[in-house]
Amino acid sequence: MLKRIAQSQPKITTDNHAVIYYVLGTLIALGPFSIDMYLQAFENIATDFHTTKHAVELSLTSYFIGISLGQLAYGPIMDKYGRRNPQLIGLLIYIIAAFACYFATSLTWLVIARFFLAVGASAGMVASKAVVRDIFKNNMDVARAMSFLMLIMGAAPILAPYAGQLVVNHFNWEYIFLFLGGFSILMFFNVLFLLPESSTPNKKVSLKPLSILDKYIGILSNPEFFTFSIAGGFTIGAMFAYVSDAAILFQDVYGIENFGLLVGLNALGLIAGSQINRYIIKKIGVLQLTLKISIMLIIIAVLFLINVLTFNNFYASFVLLFIMMTFLGFQNPNCTSLSLNPFGKKAGRASALVGSIKMIFGAITSGVLSGIGIKSALPLAIISLVLYILSALLLFRYNKRVKLYRNR
């Protein structure tokens, strides 16, 4: 059946770009729903499993590990077999893992099930970026398409905390994963019937581990890819540090019990930044705008750290976090498009490695915060500032080298 549908699937034309955006946007939405929807349930999960909220953060860490390793696996698979069929397999893994989370009877079970949930979700993250790179030709079009995709899935991080709170208020926390399982079934049929194949399968691609490792090392050794993927990884690591620490930050540090609105508003800032970015890059250029935003992120992180060390005022912290997330809305799509630029249509593995690098930093920062285990905003402030400085150093080092090369 799958083979017959694959043979009769629609072709990519300018007329069906909107449908493709819809499918890819909803696939990406699985990520924020899988993370933001269950943040509200940390306390309930900790109570049921007789543990602490910091220990529950390990289920986020395992998710980030799973989504980073999963993307590395899907990259060569999608280069060999195309984008569409591996995506269907990924969704099947996600569906099974979502129901495994629903039936979890211990934190260890939940942590392991969340790992496989991430492995399934990673297929959509690889496919969405690779399909965009398949369709569009130049750097600016890719950046604009990435920003538009963030608008399509923009409701997810805003609605997810509300949906999670609704479930927690009226049902057990396990029903969050029942919802995610049902949502992923809908996504499966969207891909099956609406998403055309954007890449010609290449049977010559080897799936041998050493060959895969060699290819990834080759991609990472590209100076342009290394600079923008690692720089973007640093800033996304800071964002996931905030996400993993949100329950403790708002509930335990600032005493805000129902913090879903706050998480949603910060997500709105991320989306607003990504959409403004679509228009500003036409005038400033992708690289120059990214350099300017990196400086702004450092300034905001310094102000956030000063506030935490002195007044530790909730309103100041929230405003600064909102601005920080807005600037990340500029940084993320730009770094992604710049890192994929050298690879043209051979973007499957590069797309996978970009996403994996981001999630590796997410796993590290969430793991560090879980290990520190203190109820304070100070670790988040320090981690954010350090990562933004490292990101800026990489970007300006690359820009300096480009200028020297041009002046020769």
Side-chain angles (χ1 to χ4, degrees):
M1 180 182 175
L2 287 178
K3 188 174 182 180
R4 290 200 304 270
I5 293 173
Q7 290 173 344
S8 61
Q9 62 185 285
K11 302 297 182 183
I12 295 177
T13 67
T14 55
D15 295 331
N16 67 355
H17 279 182
V19 174
I20 294 171
Y21 281 143
Y22 159 72
V23 176
L24 297 180
T26 50
L27 286 172
I28 296 173
L30 276 180
F33 262 104
S34 300
I35 296 171
D36 296 333
M37 192 173 177
Y38 95 124
L39 293 178
Q40 297 280 354
F42 269 31
E43 189 167 352
N44 303 68
I45 296 171
T47 300
D48 283 359
F49 293 149
H50 308 289
T51 186
T52 65
K53 282 190 282 188
H54 275 296
V56 176
E57 283 184 2
L58 291 174
S59 64
L60 265 178
T61 302
S62 71
Y63 183 88
F64 292 138
I65 293 172
I67 213 162
S68 60
L69 295 177
Q71 288 181 89
L72 291 177
Y74 281 113
I77 290 172
M78 288 187 179
D79 281 343
K80 185 177 182 71
Y81 297 109
R83 318 301 189 200
R84 188 168 170 272
N85 288 336
Q87 174 60 71
L88 291 171
I89 295 172
L91 283 167
L92 286 175
I93 295 172
Y94 186 97
I95 292 166
I96 295 169
F99 288 105
C101 291
Y102 173 76
F103 288 108
T105 56
S106 68
L107 181 59
T108 301
W109 181 336
L110 181 65
V111 168
I112 294 172
R114 289 276 300 173
F115 172 85
F116 287 102
L117 191 78
V119 171
S122 60
M125 300 184 70
V126 175
S128 59
K129 294 190 290 290
V131 170
V132 164
R133 190 66 216 178
D134 291 339
I135 296 173
F136 297 101
K137 308 298 181 184
N138 64 61
N139 198 29
M140 189 169 293
D141 286 340
V142 173
R144 293 178 64 193
M146 294 287 185
S147 297
F148 187 72
L149 279 181
M150 291 189 72
L151 177 62
I152 297 296
M153 54 77 70
I158 297 174
L159 295 176
Y162 289 106
Q165 188 65 56
L166 184 66
V167 172
V168 170
N169 288 342
H170 296 89
F171 306 96
N172 294 329
W173 61 266
E174 296 97 326
Y175 281 79
I176 290 173
F177 296 101
L178 192 63
F179 169 84
L180 290 173
F183 184 69
S184 57
I185 291 172
L186 174 62
M187 295 307 99
F188 180 88
F189 287 106
N190 279 343
V191 173
L192 191 62
F193 294 110
L194 299 178
L195 186 66
E197 180 58 71
S198 63
S199 176
T200 303
N202 183 0
K203 300 298 183 180
K204 295 181 180 179
V205 173
S206 173
L207 297 182
K208 294 180 180 179
L210 289 179
S211 176
I212 292 173
L213 179 62
D214 182 64
K215 293 291 184 182
Y216 277 130
I217 292 174
I219 293 170
L220 191 59
S221 65
N222 180 284
E224 193 172 352
F225 179 88
F226 178 86
T227 297
F228 296 110
S229 63
I230 300 297
F234 282 137
T235 55
I236 290 299
M239 184 187 79
F240 282 126
Y242 156 71
V243 170
S244 65
D245 210 41
I248 293 168
L249 178 68
F250 290 124
Q251 288 182 331
D252 297 339
V253 177
Y254 295 123
I256 310 296
E257 287 300 321
N258 297 326
F259 61 93
L261 175 63
L262 305 179
V263 175
L265 287 174
N266 278 327
L268 187 62
L270 182 73
I271 296 158
S274 70
Q275 298 315 300
I276 296 170
N277 178 67
R278 295 174 61 203
Y279 301 100
I280 294 182
I281 56 175
K282 296 178 184 178
K283 299 180 180 180
I284 301 178
V286 181
L287 177 57
Q288 292 307 310
L289 178 59
T290 305
L291 292 171
K292 295 179 191 305
I293 292 298
S294 67
I295 295 299
M296 298 304 298
L297 282 169
I298 292 174
I299 293 172
I300 297 302
V302 169
L303 294 175
F304 181 53
L305 179 60
I306 291 172
N307 174 64
V308 169
L309 290 173
T310 54
F311 304 103
N312 200 22
N313 180 269
F314 160 72
Y315 296 101
S317 292
F318 175 73
V319 169
L320 290 169
L321 285 169
F322 177 84
I323 297 172
M324 200 180 291
M325 293 290 282
T326 302
F327 285 141
L328 285 172
F330 289 85
Q331 196 88 333
N332 184 34
N334 290 349
C335 282
T336 299
S337 65
L338 288 167
S339 63
L340 296 180
N341 186 52
F343 302 99
K345 286 200 170 187
K346 298 178 180 179
R349 296 190 195 210
S351 172
L353 191 54
V354 168
S356 180
I357 287 169
K358 291 177 181 179
M359 293 303 160
I360 287 171
F361 281 107
I364 292 171
T365 55
S366 64
V368 168
L369 287 171
S370 176
I372 292 173
I374 62 173
K375 297 177 180 180
S376 170
L378 185 59
L380 174 62
I382 294 173
I383 287 172
S384 298
L385 179 58
V386 170
L387 291 177
Y388 292 148
I389 290 173
L390 291 173
S391 177
L393 288 174
L394 270 177
L395 292 171
F396 279 93
R397 177 173 172 268
Y398 176 83
N399 189 52
K400 183 178 179 180
R401 285 190 172 186
V402 170
K403 286 183 177 179
L404 287 173
Y405 178 79
R406 289 175 178 173
N407 291 332
R408 285 180 180 177

PDB file of all heavy atoms in Angstrom, residues 299-329:
ATOM      1  N   ILE A 299      24.212  41.311  25.646  1.00  0.00           N
ATOM      2  CA  ILE A 299      23.786  42.444  26.473  1.00  0.00           C
ATOM      3  C   ILE A 299      22.606  42.052  27.357  1.00  0.00           C
ATOM      4  O   ILE A 299      22.579  42.339  28.563  1.00  0.00           O
ATOM      5  CB  ILE A 299      23.415  43.652  25.581  1.00  0.00           C
ATOM      6  CG1 ILE A 299      24.674  44.187  24.881  1.00  0.00           C
ATOM      7  CG2 ILE A 299      22.749  44.758  26.407  1.00  0.00           C
ATOM      8  CD1 ILE A 299      24.386  45.243  23.827  1.00  0.00           C
ATOM      9  N   ILE A 300      21.615  41.390  26.766  1.00  0.00           N
ATOM     10  CA  ILE A 300      20.434  40.970  27.527  1.00  0.00           C
ATOM     11  C   ILE A 300      20.821  39.950  28.598  1.00  0.00           C
ATOM     12  O   ILE A 300      20.319  40.003  29.735  1.00  0.00           O
ATOM     13  CB  ILE A 300      19.365  40.381  26.593  1.00  0.00           C
ATOM     14  CG1 ILE A 300      18.868  41.445  25.611  1.00  0.00           C
ATOM     15  CG2 ILE A 300      18.192  39.835  27.389  1.00  0.00           C
ATOM     16  CD1 ILE A 300      18.290  42.680  26.273  1.00  0.00           C
ATOM     17  N   ALA A 301      21.718  39.022  28.270  1.00  0.00           N
ATOM     18  CA  ALA A 301      22.151  38.026  29.250  1.00  0.00           C
ATOM     19  C   ALA A 301      22.881  38.676  30.425  1.00  0.00           C
ATOM     20  O   ALA A 301      22.720  38.258  31.580  1.00  0.00           O
ATOM     21  CB  ALA A 301      23.049  36.987  28.576  1.00  0.00           C
ATOM     22  N   VAL A 302      23.675  39.715  30.154  1.00  0.00           N
ATOM     23  CA  VAL A 302      24.370  40.453  31.226  1.00  0.00           C
ATOM     24  C   VAL A 302      23.348  41.134  32.133  1.00  0.00           C
ATOM     25  O   VAL A 302      23.462  41.084  33.370  1.00  0.00           O
ATOM     26  CB  VAL A 302      25.346  41.488  30.632  1.00  0.00           C
ATOM     27  CG1 VAL A 302      25.853  42.442  31.718  1.00  0.00           C
ATOM     28  CG2 VAL A 302      26.520  40.802  29.960  1.00  0.00           C
ATOM     29  N   LEU A 303      22.339  41.766  31.547  1.00  0.00           N
ATOM     30  CA  LEU A 303      21.292  42.417  32.338  1.00  0.00           C
ATOM     31  C   LEU A 303      20.522  41.402  33.177  1.00  0.00           C
ATOM     32  O   LEU A 303      20.162  41.677  34.335  1.00  0.00           O
ATOM     33  CB  LEU A 303      20.332  43.180  31.410  1.00  0.00           C
ATOM     34  CG  LEU A 303      20.916  44.387  30.666  1.00  0.00           C
ATOM     35  CD1 LEU A 303      19.889  44.956  29.691  1.00  0.00           C
ATOM     36  CD2 LEU A 303      21.366  45.453  31.658  1.00  0.00           C
ATOM     37  N   PHE A 304      20.267  40.228  32.605  1.00  0.00           N
ATOM     38  CA  PHE A 304      19.563  39.166  33.337  1.00  0.00           C
ATOM     39  C   PHE A 304      20.397  38.708  34.537  1.00  0.00           C
ATOM     40  O   PHE A 304      19.879  38.530  35.651  1.00  0.00           O
ATOM     41  CB  PHE A 304      19.275  38.001  32.390  1.00  0.00           C
ATOM     42  CG  PHE A 304      18.538  36.856  33.025  1.00  0.00           C
ATOM     43  CD1 PHE A 304      17.350  37.058  33.715  1.00  0.00           C
ATOM     44  CD2 PHE A 304      19.036  35.560  32.932  1.00  0.00           C
ATOM     45  CE1 PHE A 304      16.666  35.988  34.303  1.00  0.00           C
ATOM     46  CE2 PHE A 304      18.364  34.494  33.512  1.00  0.00           C
ATOM     47  CZ  PHE A 304      17.184  34.711  34.193  1.00  0.00           C
ATOM     48  N   LEU A 305      21.700  38.539  34.337  1.00  0.00           N
ATOM     49  CA  LEU A 305      22.585  38.122  35.419  1.00  0.00           C
ATOM     50  C   LEU A 305      22.645  39.183  36.515  1.00  0.00           C
ATOM     51  O   LEU A 305      22.601  38.855  37.715  1.00  0.00           O
ATOM     52  CB  LEU A 305      23.989  37.855  34.874  1.00  0.00           C
ATOM     53  CG  LEU A 305      25.053  37.423  35.892  1.00  0.00           C
ATOM     54  CD1 LEU A 305      24.639  36.131  36.588  1.00  0.00           C
ATOM     55  CD2 LEU A 305      26.405  37.257  35.216  1.00  0.00           C
ATOM     56  N   ILE A 306      22.724  40.459  36.132  1.00  0.00           N
ATOM     57  CA  ILE A 306      22.744  41.552  37.114  1.00  0.00           C
ATOM     58  C   ILE A 306      21.459  41.548  37.945  1.00  0.00           C
ATOM     59  O   ILE A 306      21.486  41.703  39.164  1.00  0.00           O
ATOM     60  CB  ILE A 306      22.928  42.912  36.408  1.00  0.00           C
ATOM     61  CG1 ILE A 306      24.338  43.007  35.814  1.00  0.00           C
ATOM     62  CG2 ILE A 306      22.683  44.068  37.377  1.00  0.00           C
ATOM     63  CD1 ILE A 306      24.556  44.215  34.937  1.00  0.00           C
ATOM     64  N   ASN A 307      20.332  41.361  37.272  1.00  0.00           N
ATOM     65  CA  ASN A 307      19.051  41.318  37.989  1.00  0.00           C
ATOM     66  C   ASN A 307      19.008  40.162  38.992  1.00  0.00           C
ATOM     67  O   ASN A 307      18.565  40.333  40.133  1.00  0.00           O
ATOM     68  CB  ASN A 307      17.901  41.181  36.994  1.00  0.00           C
ATOM     69  CG  ASN A 307      16.559  40.972  37.670  1.00  0.00           C
ATOM     70  OD1 ASN A 307      16.068  41.834  38.389  1.00  0.00           O
ATOM     71  ND2 ASN A 307      15.966  39.806  37.460  1.00  0.00           N
ATOM     72  N   VAL A 308      19.483  38.990  38.568  1.00  0.00           N
ATOM     73  CA  VAL A 308      19.474  37.814  39.448  1.00  0.00           C
ATOM     74  C   VAL A 308      20.372  38.030  40.657  1.00  0.00           C
ATOM     75  O   VAL A 308      20.034  37.631  41.788  1.00  0.00           O
ATOM     76  CB  VAL A 308      19.907  36.560  38.662  1.00  0.00           C
ATOM     77  CG1 VAL A 308      20.157  35.385  39.603  1.00  0.00           C
ATOM     78  CG2 VAL A 308      18.855  36.188  37.625  1.00  0.00           C
ATOM     79  N   LEU A 309      21.531  38.684  40.452  1.00  0.00           N
ATOM     80  CA  LEU A 309      22.488  38.891  41.540  1.00  0.00           C
ATOM     81  C   LEU A 309      22.078  40.012  42.489  1.00  0.00           C
ATOM     82  O   LEU A 309      22.577  40.077  43.620  1.00  0.00           O
ATOM     83  CB  LEU A 309      23.879  39.199  40.960  1.00  0.00           C
ATOM     84  CG  LEU A 309      24.596  38.038  40.261  1.00  0.00           C
ATOM     85  CD1 LEU A 309      25.858  38.530  39.587  1.00  0.00           C
ATOM     86  CD2 LEU A 309      24.922  36.930  41.259  1.00  0.00           C
ATOM     87  N   THR A 310      21.200  40.897  42.039  1.00  0.00           N
ATOM     88  CA  THR A 310      20.827  42.049  42.876  1.00  0.00           C
ATOM     89  C   THR A 310      19.369  41.956  43.333  1.00  0.00           C
ATOM     90  O   THR A 310      19.068  41.402  44.377  1.00  0.00           O
ATOM     91  CB  THR A 310      21.081  43.359  42.115  1.00  0.00           C
ATOM     92  OG1 THR A 310      20.400  43.317  40.840  1.00  0.00           O
ATOM     93  CG2 THR A 310      22.576  43.559  41.865  1.00  0.00           C
ATOM     94  N   PHE A 311      18.450  42.483  42.534  1.00  0.00           N
ATOM     95  CA  PHE A 311      17.049  42.550  42.948  1.00  0.00           C
ATOM     96  C   PHE A 311      16.316  41.215  42.779  1.00  0.00           C
ATOM     97  O   PHE A 311      15.385  40.912  43.505  1.00  0.00           O
ATOM     98  CB  PHE A 311      16.316  43.632  42.142  1.00  0.00           C
ATOM     99  CG  PHE A 311      16.958  44.979  42.247  1.00  0.00           C
ATOM    100  CD1 PHE A 311      17.736  45.480  41.210  1.00  0.00           C
ATOM    101  CD2 PHE A 311      16.823  45.740  43.401  1.00  0.00           C
ATOM    102  CE1 PHE A 311      18.334  46.722  41.305  1.00  0.00           C
ATOM    103  CE2 PHE A 311      17.418  46.988  43.505  1.00  0.00           C
ATOM    104  CZ  PHE A 311      18.177  47.485  42.462  1.00  0.00           C
ATOM    105  N   ASN A 312      16.722  40.442  41.759  1.00  0.00           N
ATOM    106  CA  ASN A 312      16.044  39.187  41.399  1.00  0.00           C
ATOM    107  C   ASN A 312      14.539  39.402  41.282  1.00  0.00           C
ATOM    108  O   ASN A 312      13.730  38.639  41.821  1.00  0.00           O
ATOM    109  CB  ASN A 312      16.349  38.086  42.409  1.00  0.00           C
ATOM    110  CG  ASN A 312      16.085  36.696  41.834  1.00  0.00           C
ATOM    111  OD1 ASN A 312      16.077  36.506  40.621  1.00  0.00           O
ATOM    112  ND2 ASN A 312      15.860  35.723  42.707  1.00  0.00           N
ATOM    113  N   ASN A 313      14.186  40.465  40.559  1.00  0.00           N
ATOM    114  CA  ASN A 313      12.785  40.836  40.382  1.00  0.00           C
ATOM    115  C   ASN A 313      12.141  39.976  39.295  1.00  0.00           C
ATOM    116  O   ASN A 313      12.691  39.825  38.199  1.00  0.00           O
ATOM    117  CB  ASN A 313      12.697  42.318  40.008  1.00  0.00           C
ATOM    118  CG  ASN A 313      11.274  42.785  39.809  1.00  0.00           C
ATOM    119  OD1 ASN A 313      10.748  42.742  38.706  1.00  0.00           O
ATOM    120  ND2 ASN A 313      10.642  43.241  40.882  1.00  0.00           N
ATOM    121  N   PHE A 314      10.981  39.418  39.590  1.00  0.00           N
ATOM    122  CA  PHE A 314      10.309  38.541  38.632  1.00  0.00           C
ATOM    123  C   PHE A 314       9.992  39.268  37.330  1.00  0.00           C
ATOM    124  O   PHE A 314      10.224  38.738  36.239  1.00  0.00           O
ATOM    125  CB  PHE A 314       9.019  37.980  39.231  1.00  0.00           C
ATOM    126  CG  PHE A 314       8.054  37.475  38.189  1.00  0.00           C
ATOM    127  CD1 PHE A 314       8.320  36.304  37.488  1.00  0.00           C
ATOM    128  CD2 PHE A 314       6.903  38.191  37.876  1.00  0.00           C
ATOM    129  CE1 PHE A 314       7.445  35.844  36.506  1.00  0.00           C
ATOM    130  CE2 PHE A 314       6.029  37.737  36.899  1.00  0.00           C
ATOM    131  CZ  PHE A 314       6.299  36.568  36.215  1.00  0.00           C
ATOM    132  N   TYR A 315       9.444  40.478  37.413  1.00  0.00           N
ATOM    133  CA  TYR A 315       9.028  41.201  36.214  1.00  0.00           C
ATOM    134  C   TYR A 315      10.225  41.533  35.322  1.00  0.00           C
ATOM    135  O   TYR A 315      10.140  41.399  34.092  1.00  0.00           O
ATOM    136  CB  TYR A 315       8.275  42.483  36.601  1.00  0.00           C
ATOM    137  CG  TYR A 315       6.994  42.207  37.335  1.00  0.00           C
ATOM    138  CD1 TYR A 315       6.913  42.333  38.722  1.00  0.00           C
ATOM    139  CD2 TYR A 315       5.862  41.773  36.647  1.00  0.00           C
ATOM    140  CE1 TYR A 315       5.727  42.059  39.405  1.00  0.00           C
ATOM    141  CE2 TYR A 315       4.669  41.493  37.314  1.00  0.00           C
ATOM    142  CZ  TYR A 315       4.617  41.628  38.688  1.00  0.00           C
ATOM    143  OH  TYR A 315       3.442  41.352  39.347  1.00  0.00           O
ATOM    144  N   ALA A 316      11.325  41.934  35.936  1.00  0.00           N
ATOM    145  CA  ALA A 316      12.537  42.211  35.153  1.00  0.00           C
ATOM    146  C   ALA A 316      13.041  40.933  34.488  1.00  0.00           C
ATOM    147  O   ALA A 316      13.423  40.939  33.309  1.00  0.00           O
ATOM    148  CB  ALA A 316      13.611  42.810  36.043  1.00  0.00           C
ATOM    149  N   SER A 317      13.027  39.825  35.230  1.00  0.00           N
ATOM    150  CA  SER A 317      13.486  38.544  34.678  1.00  0.00           C
ATOM    151  C   SER A 317      12.616  38.121  33.504  1.00  0.00           C
ATOM    152  O   SER A 317      13.123  37.687  32.463  1.00  0.00           O
ATOM    153  CB  SER A 317      13.458  37.451  35.755  1.00  0.00           C
ATOM    154  OG  SER A 317      14.428  37.697  36.734  1.00  0.00           O
ATOM    155  N   PHE A 318      11.312  38.259  33.669  1.00  0.00           N
ATOM    156  CA  PHE A 318      10.413  37.827  32.598  1.00  0.00           C
ATOM    157  C   PHE A 318      10.604  38.661  31.332  1.00  0.00           C
ATOM    158  O   PHE A 318      10.663  38.125  30.223  1.00  0.00           O
ATOM    159  CB  PHE A 318       8.954  37.911  33.051  1.00  0.00           C
ATOM    160  CG  PHE A 318       7.980  37.588  31.946  1.00  0.00           C
ATOM    161  CD1 PHE A 318       7.816  36.287  31.512  1.00  0.00           C
ATOM    162  CD2 PHE A 318       7.280  38.606  31.306  1.00  0.00           C
ATOM    163  CE1 PHE A 318       6.945  35.989  30.475  1.00  0.00           C
ATOM    164  CE2 PHE A 318       6.410  38.318  30.270  1.00  0.00           C
ATOM    165  CZ  PHE A 318       6.245  37.006  29.849  1.00  0.00           C
ATOM    166  N   VAL A 319      10.693  39.983  31.488  1.00  0.00           N
ATOM    167  CA  VAL A 319      10.878  40.862  30.322  1.00  0.00           C
ATOM    168  C   VAL A 319      12.185  40.533  29.612  1.00  0.00           C
ATOM    169  O   VAL A 319      12.239  40.453  28.379  1.00  0.00           O
ATOM    170  CB  VAL A 319      10.838  42.345  30.750  1.00  0.00           C
ATOM    171  CG1 VAL A 319      11.293  43.242  29.599  1.00  0.00           C
ATOM    172  CG2 VAL A 319       9.437  42.740  31.198  1.00  0.00           C
ATOM    173  N   LEU A 320      13.253  40.343  30.378  1.00  0.00           N
ATOM    174  CA  LEU A 320      14.551  40.030  29.779  1.00  0.00           C
ATOM    175  C   LEU A 320      14.538  38.673  29.083  1.00  0.00           C
ATOM    176  O   LEU A 320      15.109  38.517  28.002  1.00  0.00           O
ATOM    177  CB  LEU A 320      15.640  40.072  30.854  1.00  0.00           C
ATOM    178  CG  LEU A 320      15.967  41.467  31.400  1.00  0.00           C
ATOM    179  CD1 LEU A 320      16.850  41.375  32.635  1.00  0.00           C
ATOM    180  CD2 LEU A 320      16.632  42.332  30.338  1.00  0.00           C
ATOM    181  N   LEU A 321      13.873  37.686  29.673  1.00  0.00           N
ATOM    182  CA  LEU A 321      13.746  36.382  29.025  1.00  0.00           C
ATOM    183  C   LEU A 321      12.923  36.471  27.746  1.00  0.00           C
ATOM    184  O   LEU A 321      13.228  35.811  26.741  1.00  0.00           O
ATOM    185  CB  LEU A 321      13.104  35.384  29.993  1.00  0.00           C
ATOM    186  CG  LEU A 321      14.005  34.862  31.120  1.00  0.00           C
ATOM    187  CD1 LEU A 321      13.180  34.115  32.159  1.00  0.00           C
ATOM    188  CD2 LEU A 321      15.109  33.965  30.571  1.00  0.00           C
ATOM    189  N   PHE A 322      11.895  37.309  27.772  1.00  0.00           N
ATOM    190  CA  PHE A 322      11.074  37.501  26.572  1.00  0.00           C
ATOM    191  C   PHE A 322      11.911  38.102  25.440  1.00  0.00           C
ATOM    192  O   PHE A 322      11.847  37.649  24.287  1.00  0.00           O
ATOM    193  CB  PHE A 322       9.886  38.410  26.883  1.00  0.00           C
ATOM    194  CG  PHE A 322       9.027  38.716  25.685  1.00  0.00           C
ATOM    195  CD1 PHE A 322       8.032  37.841  25.282  1.00  0.00           C
ATOM    196  CD2 PHE A 322       9.215  39.883  24.950  1.00  0.00           C
ATOM    197  CE1 PHE A 322       7.241  38.106  24.182  1.00  0.00           C
ATOM    198  CE2 PHE A 322       8.431  40.165  23.839  1.00  0.00           C
ATOM    199  CZ  PHE A 322       7.445  39.272  23.461  1.00  0.00           C
ATOM    200  N   ILE A 323      12.693  39.127  25.752  1.00  0.00           N
ATOM    201  CA  ILE A 323      13.554  39.769  24.739  1.00  0.00           C
ATOM    202  C   ILE A 323      14.595  38.772  24.235  1.00  0.00           C
ATOM    203  O   ILE A 323      14.900  38.705  23.042  1.00  0.00           O
ATOM    204  CB  ILE A 323      14.228  41.023  25.320  1.00  0.00           C
ATOM    205  CG1 ILE A 323      13.169  42.071  25.701  1.00  0.00           C
ATOM    206  CG2 ILE A 323      15.217  41.623  24.311  1.00  0.00           C
ATOM    207  CD1 ILE A 323      13.726  43.255  26.451  1.00  0.00           C
ATOM    208  N   MET A 324      15.134  37.987  25.164  1.00  0.00           N
ATOM    209  CA  MET A 324      16.121  36.974  24.800  1.00  0.00           C
ATOM    210  C   MET A 324      15.538  35.976  23.794  1.00  0.00           C
ATOM    211  O   MET A 324      16.167  35.644  22.782  1.00  0.00           O
ATOM    212  CB  MET A 324      16.565  36.241  26.071  1.00  0.00           C
ATOM    213  CG  MET A 324      17.889  35.518  25.974  1.00  0.00           C
ATOM    214  SD  MET A 324      18.306  34.681  27.542  1.00  0.00           S
ATOM    215  CE  MET A 324      18.616  36.087  28.604  1.00  0.00           C
ATOM    216  N   MET A 325      14.326  35.502  24.064  1.00  0.00           N
ATOM    217  CA  MET A 325      13.680  34.555  23.173  1.00  0.00           C
ATOM    218  C   MET A 325      13.366  35.194  21.813  1.00  0.00           C
ATOM    219  O   MET A 325      13.448  34.532  20.770  1.00  0.00           O
ATOM    220  CB  MET A 325      12.399  34.032  23.812  1.00  0.00           C
ATOM    221  CG  MET A 325      12.620  33.183  25.046  1.00  0.00           C
ATOM    222  SD  MET A 325      13.370  31.582  24.688  1.00  0.00           S
ATOM    223  CE  MET A 325      11.949  30.687  24.073  1.00  0.00           C
ATOM    224  N   THR A 326      13.014  36.472  21.824  1.00  0.00           N
ATOM    225  CA  THR A 326      12.730  37.180  20.566  1.00  0.00           C
ATOM    226  C   THR A 326      13.976  37.228  19.686  1.00  0.00           C
ATOM    227  O   THR A 326      13.927  36.962  18.484  1.00  0.00           O
ATOM    228  CB  THR A 326      12.224  38.600  20.845  1.00  0.00           C
ATOM    229  OG1 THR A 326      11.047  38.535  21.664  1.00  0.00           O
ATOM    230  CG2 THR A 326      11.883  39.325  19.545  1.00  0.00           C
ATOM    231  N   PHE A 327      15.116  37.551  20.292  1.00  0.00           N
ATOM    232  CA  PHE A 327      16.367  37.589  19.531  1.00  0.00           C
ATOM    233  C   PHE A 327      16.751  36.194  19.024  1.00  0.00           C
ATOM    234  O   PHE A 327      17.326  36.055  17.939  1.00  0.00           O
ATOM    235  CB  PHE A 327      17.497  38.174  20.376  1.00  0.00           C
ATOM    236  CG  PHE A 327      17.414  39.668  20.537  1.00  0.00           C
ATOM    237  CD1 PHE A 327      17.726  40.260  21.745  1.00  0.00           C
ATOM    238  CD2 PHE A 327      17.020  40.472  19.489  1.00  0.00           C
ATOM    239  CE1 PHE A 327      17.658  41.639  21.901  1.00  0.00           C
ATOM    240  CE2 PHE A 327      16.935  41.856  19.630  1.00  0.00           C
ATOM    241  CZ  PHE A 327      17.258  42.436  20.842  1.00  0.00           C
ATOM    242  N   LEU A 328      16.437  35.155  19.795  1.00  0.00           N
ATOM    243  CA  LEU A 328      16.705  33.789  19.336  1.00  0.00           C
ATOM    244  C   LEU A 328      15.863  33.446  18.113  1.00  0.00           C
ATOM    245  O   LEU A 328      16.252  32.612  17.303  1.00  0.00           O
ATOM    246  CB  LEU A 328      16.431  32.797  20.464  1.00  0.00           C
ATOM    247  CG  LEU A 328      17.478  32.734  21.571  1.00  0.00           C
ATOM    248  CD1 LEU A 328      17.004  31.859  22.718  1.00  0.00           C
ATOM    249  CD2 LEU A 328      18.804  32.221  21.031  1.00  0.00           C
ATOM    250  N   GLY A 329      14.700  34.108  17.982  1.00  0.00           N
ATOM    251  CA  GLY A 329      13.869  33.936  16.793  1.00  0.00           C
ATOM    252  C   GLY A 329      14.564  34.417  15.530  1.00  0.00           C
ATOM    253  O   GLY A 329      14.298  33.920  14.428  1.00  0.00           O
TER     254      GLY A 329
END
